[in-house]
Amino acid sequence: MEVLGIDIGGSGIKGAPVETDTGNLLAARYRLQTPSPAKPQPVAETVFKIVDHFNWEGHLGIGFPGVVRKGVTLTAANIHNDWVGLNAAKFIKKVTGCKTCIINDADAAGLAEMAFGAGKDRQGVVMVVTIGTGLGSALFTNGQLLPNSEFGHLEIDGVEAEWIASDAARKREKLSWKKWGHRFDQYLHTMEKLLWPDLIILGGGISKKYEEFLPYITVQAEVVPAKMLNEAGIVGAAVGACKYGN
Ligand code: BGC
């Protein structure tokens, strides 16, 4: 099946048509700035511009940076609060004219890594952590997703992990790789104590810089960078949304 995968992020909204059996992009991805403030109407209009760019008339699979249940967006940590409680699937369908399914962005990236990337054929407990503006998580057991895990909001010493260990935190505080690496390692240790994953896959833009912080990661679990880098969010949105979404 061909689905237009769209990844709604804090800074950019990216899309490309995807062949869902292979995970291959059928055309080069197209990226637009996330409007600010990122309220539903301007974001949906930006999604429409991507639809229009590809002359798309088929299904849309969307990854959203918050909890999504049955098409309804329930949290919005790094996007405008007006999304909370909105039936985003219906809303985006109304604006774009395309049948729309929507899931959490980290779940989308995780599904892509499990199907075609670093988690392919991996059994046991796999945790995917996406490191960007937010800290996203996706949890799998024997390849099955437990949707909407929100472990980036876990508090460590009274502070949300996302606030101190995301890529936004690294940039905001101008942290060295060593300093940030130690913080992120502390986060992974906390996750390890709670979930004991066999494999941890690190995704998001920062996964390209994996070698910079790998020396500071000391958890017992196997830790690997995501394989699909920038494309995971788009591919996973296309592949996963219509399976797991509304
Ligand atoms: C949100 C998650 C999202 C992550 C990455 C967090 O702030 O709560 O739902 O997956 O950011 O975008």
Side-chain angles (χ1 to χ4, degrees):
M1 183 178 180
E2 295 180 5
V3 175
L4 182 59
I6 295 183
D7 184 16
I8 298 179
S11 57
I13 302 181
K14 298 156 267 181
V18 177
E19 168 49 62
T20 58
D21 290 335
T22 59
N24 290 336
L25 299 197
L26 298 167
R29 69 189 196 122
Y30 183 58
R31 181 189 192 274
L32 293 170
Q33 290 270 104
T34 305
S36 175
K39 292 188 176 202
Q41 186 68 31
V43 167
E45 282 167 14
T46 306
V47 168
F48 179 66
K49 284 185 193 152
I50 296 175
V51 167
D52 198 41
H53 172 85
F54 292 106
N55 287 321
W56 197 255
E57 288 178 351
H59 282 63
L60 302 188
I62 297 197
F64 177 84
V67 171
V68 186
R69 208 162 49 196
K70 296 194 175 114
V72 179
T73 41
L74 294 171
T75 68
N78 293 304
I79 196 158
H80 198 276
N81 230 32
D82 282 3
W83 286 94
V84 176
L86 180 76
N87 190 317
K90 274 195 188 149
F91 184 77
I92 293 172
K93 179 175 183 227
K94 207 171 84 196
V95 175
T96 62
C98 297
K99 177 160 174 19
T100 302
C101 302
I102 179 163
I103 55 172
N104 171 262
D105 59 352
D107 286 349
L111 285 164
E113 287 297 330
M114 294 304 285
F116 310 109
K120 192 166 188 295
D121 299 327
R122 291 298 297 250
Q123 299 297 301
V125 175
V126 180
M127 181 178 188
V128 180
V129 181
T130 64
I131 311 160
T133 311
L135 207 53
S137 63
L139 201 62
F140 296 86
T141 174
N142 296 334
Q144 280 295 312
L145 172 68
L146 185 156
N148 287 316
S149 67
E150 285 282 324
F151 292 115
H153 297 289
L154 189 81
E155 287 189 13
I156 302 176
D157 296 336
V159 184
E160 275 195 13
E162 174 167 296
W163 181 248
I164 51 160
S166 63
D167 198 33
R170 185 182 65 85
K171 291 178 180 152
R172 189 181 62 242
E173 295 188 47
K174 300 190 177 61
L175 299 173
S176 64
W177 285 113
K178 183 174 180 188
K179 199 146 196 202
W180 181 84
H182 283 312
R183 279 194 193 180
F184 189 70
D185 187 47
Q186 191 196 358
Y187 170 65
L188 291 187
H189 273 281
T190 309
M191 294 312 313
E192 182 155 73
K193 265 194 289 188
L194 297 171
L195 295 172
W196 293 98
D198 300 294
L199 172 68
I200 300 175
I201 301 173
L202 303 181
I206 209 173
S207 53
K208 278 176 270 177
K209 306 265 172 67
Y210 177 66
E211 277 155 26
E212 304 274 3
F213 60 90
L214 177 68
Y216 311 111
I217 304 299
T218 63
V219 287
Q220 287 182 41
E222 184 187 351
V223 180
V224 296
K227 271 201 183 141
M228 304 185 64
L229 305 173
N230 274 338
E231 285 175 10
I234 293 172
V235 173
V239 171
C242 295
K243 194 165 153 204
Y244 287 88
N246 46 307

